[in-house]
Amino acid sequence: MYDYLIIGHGLAGAVLSQKLLEREQKIMVLDQPDHNHSSVVAAGIFNPITGRKMFKTWRADQFFPELTSFYPELETKLEAAFYYPIGVYRPYFAIEDQNDWEAKKSDAKFDAYIAQTTTSNISAHQLHDPHGGLFLKQAGYVNIVELLNANKKYLIDKGSYRETMFYEKDLKCNTDHFSFGDLKFKKIIFCNGIHAHKSEWFQWLPFHPVKGEMIDIELKKRPETIYNRGVFMLPFAGGHIRVGSTYHHHFDDMQPTETGQNELKEKLSGLLKEQYEIKGSRAGIRPATKDRRPFIGKHPDNEHIYVFNGFGSKGVSLIPNCSKLFTAYLLDGEALDAEVDVSRYYSHYPIQQKN
Ligand SMILES: Cc1cc2nc3c(=O)[nH]c(=O)nc-3n(C[C@H](O)[C@H](O)[C@H](O)COP(=O)(O)OP(=O)(O)OC[C@H]3O[C@@H](n4cnc5c(N)ncnc54)[C@H](O)[C@@H]3O)c2cc1C
């Protein structure tokens, strides 16, 4: 009998599987990789200062120290390379930003994230950055596909992974356990990304899927860090430079579009001066939520059914700390943070489904 059945091996299911194994839980992860529309597409960037106004991202002081130790430790454990803390360079939009950030850089609130500032351009022939910019630390990217491949191998070696589709209609709820085919387990955790909004158990949650598109480009000179203003340019190790992303709430399919590509080219022209060649494009759907906070916790009607989802566009930075808190909730009875606890939406659970 397994302690936990985890549905989905995207970044959420993969990281959670490690946390539960560390606590000696017997787990089985089911995944149908062809149906992954987010983790395998994502750029994997973690960046503590985001948005046009360059605000510190939500709970950065809680999430960033955790992720910067978690991923390198996981690399060692899985004997794989996927963590690239190469930093982010954020060119200023206007001259006023210089004064603003010269003052902020000695502020203890930002100290941990600012490596350096510059008031002159760093690459006059390549970038539009006449006012200089900000070099961020505790920033970089995770090659999520490499992480998932290494984690899958690790789980297979432990007999804890099956590549198969989970069908809810085939889940049997018995008095003291569940069963699905030949598998028997005490609890089930849905880490099924955007598929949750079609799920019988969690479709009542206010998911807000957001389509994102990216292009891969080739440049004469590769940047050594991530550039980010309006769009990001990510020099993917051993690959092209990834440029992204778009944010679209209304979409018909998961394919890259000409409109998306044009939007990226337009934004890129505000950052990059140099000629480039487009080598490819990709698109995916972020499992985002209406209030932009994850959905973590227990189903309102069944205390053995859980959700760990809704990481939107920030899975890389949120998932390590959230999986640690969720594991403490599951195994030590610690309370979940009210901002991520799915119980904040119990009032959305349809009456007719109760019981
Ligand atoms: C274009 C784009 C760019 C992004 N860039 C970044 C970025 O730079 N930084 C960042 O932090 N985040 C980024 N993200 C977001 C990031 O991808 C997500 O936050 C994170 O990967 C979500 O992981 P997940 O495991 O919750 O979901 P998913 O990756 O969607 O994984 C869910 C898994 O469950 C499986 N599954 C679902 N239902 C079933 C079933 N019934 N049976 C079996 N398996 C099932 C799916 O096949 C899938 O493998 C980006 C996303 C997109 C689309």
Side-chain angles (χ1 to χ4, degrees):
M1 169 102 71
Y2 292 95
D3 294 310
Y4 290 95
L5 185 76
I6 296 178
I7 307 303
H9 187 257
L11 190 62
V15 172
L16 187 62
S17 71
Q18 284 295 338
K19 296 284 181 192
L20 289 171
L21 285 173
E22 266 167 30
R23 297 289 305 271
E24 295 177 354
Q25 298 301 296
K26 198 168 172 222
I27 63 161
M28 173 58 78
V29 179
L30 304 186
D31 187 61
Q32 184 42 263
D34 298 349
H35 291 246
N36 190 307
H37 302 303
S38 198
S39 297
V40 298
V41 180
I45 295 173
F46 53 98
N47 176 4
I49 310 279
T50 56
R52 192 188 153 88
K53 296 205 166 142
M54 299 208 270
F55 284 126
K56 197 153 91 171
T57 184
W58 177 62
R59 302 268 179 97
D61 300 338
Q62 177 184 338
F63 296 132
F64 279 69
E66 179 76 25
L67 81 89
T68 51
S69 60
F70 173 78
Y71 291 113
E73 280 166 26
L74 189 60
E75 277 188 319
T76 309
K77 184 171 187 183
L78 300 180
E79 298 176 1
F82 44 75
Y83 176 65
Y84 298 92
I86 58 174
V88 170
Y89 175 59
R90 299 215 44 168
Y92 295 137
F93 278 100
I95 195 125
E96 299 79 57
D97 295 334
Q98 285 182 354
N99 302 334
D100 192 24
W101 283 99
E102 284 308 309
K104 277 185 185 159
K105 80 176 176 192
S106 45
D107 180 337
K109 271 203 306 218
F110 293 99
D111 200 34
Y113 307 110
I114 299 174
Q116 201 187 322
T117 57
T118 169
T119 50
S120 56
N121 52 13
I122 60 160
S123 178
H125 72 281
Q126 196 175 44
L127 282 186
H128 291 290
D129 66 333
H131 312 298
L134 200 61
F135 287 92
L136 299 172
K137 53 186 177 180
Q138 296 202 54
Y141 75 99
V142 170
N143 182 331
I144 303 180
V145 170
E146 287 297 323
L147 184 157
L148 293 180
N149 288 340
N151 200 62
K152 178 170 161 179
K153 184 171 171 297
Y154 182 92
L155 293 177
I156 289 172
D157 287 349
K158 291 208 160 323
S160 287
Y161 179 95
R162 281 195 198 170
E163 191 167 304
T164 186
M165 194 72 191
F166 171 79
Y167 294 103
E168 291 186 5
K169 64 178 174 46
D170 298 330
L171 177 71
K172 295 201 169 45
C173 304
N174 308 304
T175 40
D176 61 345
H177 71 280
F178 296 101
S179 53
F180 175 74
D182 62 325
L183 300 170
K184 290 187 172 35
F185 44 95
K186 294 179 197 158
K187 298 182 179 189
I188 180 165
I189 306 175
F190 286 91
C191 302
N192 49 350
I194 57 155
H195 297 266
H197 77 267
K198 290 178 280 174
S199 138
E200 180 196 332
W201 295 101
F202 291 107
Q203 46 75 26
W204 48 275
L205 284 169
F207 281 96
H208 196 44
V210 183
K211 181 173 179 178
E213 296 191 37
M214 294 186 286
I215 51 174
D216 284 340
I217 65 166
E218 203 164 85
L219 283 179
K220 280 206 194 83
K221 186 171 177 284
R222 277 172 76 80
E224 282 173 10
T225 186
I226 299 165
Y227 295 155
N228 180 208
R229 190 186 59 204
V231 279
F232 62 75
M233 287 170 56
L234 164 64
F236 222 72
H240 297 301
I241 292 148
R242 196 151 291 172
V243 176
S245 308
T246 60
Y247 286 80
H248 289 284
H249 299 280
H250 304 287
F251 48 87
D252 299 323
D253 58 35
M254 310 205 184
Q255 301 308 314
T257 61
E258 205 181 318
T259 319
Q261 193 171 109
N262 288 338
E263 184 183 327
L264 291 171
K265 286 195 313 203
E266 170 68 26
K267 286 189 174 155
L268 188 58
S269 68
L271 178 64
L272 182 68
K273 283 183 185 167
E274 210 180 309
Q275 293 296 315
Y276 58 88
E277 226 182 296
I278 298 184
K279 292 292 184 182
S281 55
R282 57 187 70 218
I285 316 289
R286 303 170 183 91
T289 67
K290 280 250 161 65
D291 66 1
R292 301 168 86 183
R293 299 289 175 259
F295 295 145
I296 304 178
K298 201 163 54 183
H299 188 271
D301 256 357
N302 191 319
E303 59 178 334
H304 304 301
I305 297 182
Y306 300 88
V307 62
F308 186 67
N309 203 331
F311 296 100
S313 59
K314 300 212 165 89
V316 169
S317 37
L318 303 185
I319 289 171
N321 190 257
C322 286
S323 58
K324 181 171 143 183
L325 300 178
F326 186 41
T327 307
Y329 164 82
L330 292 172
L331 303 180
D332 306 323
E334 284 187 21
L336 278 171
D337 184 319
E339 264 194 284
V340 303
D341 191 333
V342 71
S343 66
R344 70 193 186 279
Y345 285 114
Y346 279 179
S347 62
H348 287 220
Y349 184 55
I351 300 286
Q352 67 273 21
Q353 278 194 25
K354 287 181 181 159
N355 301 317

